[in-house]
Amino acid sequence: MSIVTMQQLSRYYEQYRTTDVTFNKQVISAVGLVPKGVYLKTLDRQISCMVFSSSMAAARVIASIPSSVMTALKQPANRLALRWCFKLPDKVEPITFFVTCRPAGFTHYAMQGPDVHFVTLEFTQRPPDDLILILGSLLEANFNSQKRKDERIIINPVTMKKLGLETREAVLAVDGQERKCVLRDLSFGGCRVIVTGSPSLYLNRAASLRLTVGDQAPDIMLPASVRRVDEVGGRHEILTVSMEYSADPPMSYKLLINSYISTLRKTAQAASPAAAETAPGQPTAAPAAPGQGAPAAAAKAGAAKPAGSGKPAPEPDPFEVMSKAADAASSDIPAEGDPMDEGGGKDSGSG
């Protein structure tokens, strides 16, 4: 996970404190919940349970509770805690913590046996920061996936690092045929990739994009529909394929995109005080003297190889050509600037 600030944690807690997250398979995988490490702790007893849903103020779990234990749990002075366990990608060992709570209700879950119950737990104090961060990031990603659906992130070395991507390489499957591609940009609602081939192979066809995030995380599959195909730099064999996702993206993908948006917000907040301290009209660095850059330019020109010397150049690798085309398509984006596409991504190309 990215570095978190107390301001961010406070915002999550105030904004999402009572919003429930249902722990289905997709959410469990995305947040790294370790179900076997979750249980209720009461006195000297551990009761295995399964988290059905949770907010930052309460949780609902499914547990098998014998009648004798049920009687003890209903006592007003009973001390109860819910143990959580998560395996995060940036941590070697799972993280665990307890949230103190009190039982607020029991509902018999007849399908699983006479002792199985839905147990509603109310937290008796603010939960640990880890739980606030995990649930808050998830809820914010869901919110931003709708509010900022069409904002594109240009993929370059700067954004790759912030997104946690190890490579721009991806796999595009169209009609069962897989082809290598290079990521051009990503958004909550769609993407653009650089590929080789004929436009007729892609246009208006169903497709799927497979992203490799890292060794510790499973690949992300994104079903999509091709909305537009454009040539890159006048080269007929190199294309930009623009796609709109045909299904709600996986939670892991939403968290990936949202992590970048959160990084931008924190960078902007950190830069604001520094900008405020700069006095209006403060002089900037003087421009370079005329001709100052000439020696460097001459040296660069002198390093060029003379035409016609040596052996004929080998055939370029198609994937290298696509990578260079993606670089050329992104050349108008400052290397260290805000890589969010200025156009807002609202053309038909990326949904």
Side-chain angles (χ1 to χ4, degrees), residues 263-277:
T263 301
L264 282 187
R265 181 187 291 113
K266 285 182 284 186
T267 302
Q269 290 172 348
S272 295
E277 292 172 4

Side-chain angles (χ1 to χ4, degrees), residues 54-135:
S54 181
S55 68
M56 301 174 198
R60 295 185 71 198
V61 302
I62 301 174
S64 179
I65 306 174
S67 56
S68 57
V69 178
M70 179 74 73
T71 302
L73 288 178
K74 291 181 178 180
Q75 297 300 316
N78 179 59
R79 299 180 62 185
L80 188 64
L82 176 62
R83 186 200 194 243
W84 294 85
C85 182
F86 295 92
K87 180 65 178 74
L88 304 180
D90 57 344
K91 303 288 185 182
V92 177
E93 298 295 331
I95 62 168
T96 62
F97 50 85
F98 287 90
V99 180
T100 57
C101 50
R102 66 177 185 85
F106 299 88
T107 303
H108 185 226
Y109 194 36
M111 294 176 60
Q112 299 296 325
D115 294 333
V116 179
H117 293 79
F118 268 113
V119 184
T120 301
L121 305 169
E122 292 182 353
F123 301 161
T124 57
Q125 60 187 23
R126 172 172 163 153
D129 290 346
D130 285 321
L131 186 63
I132 294 174
L133 177 60
I134 290 168
L135 295 182

Side-chain angles (χ1 to χ4, degrees), residues 283-304:
T284 56
Q292 185 175 346
K300 184 175 180 181

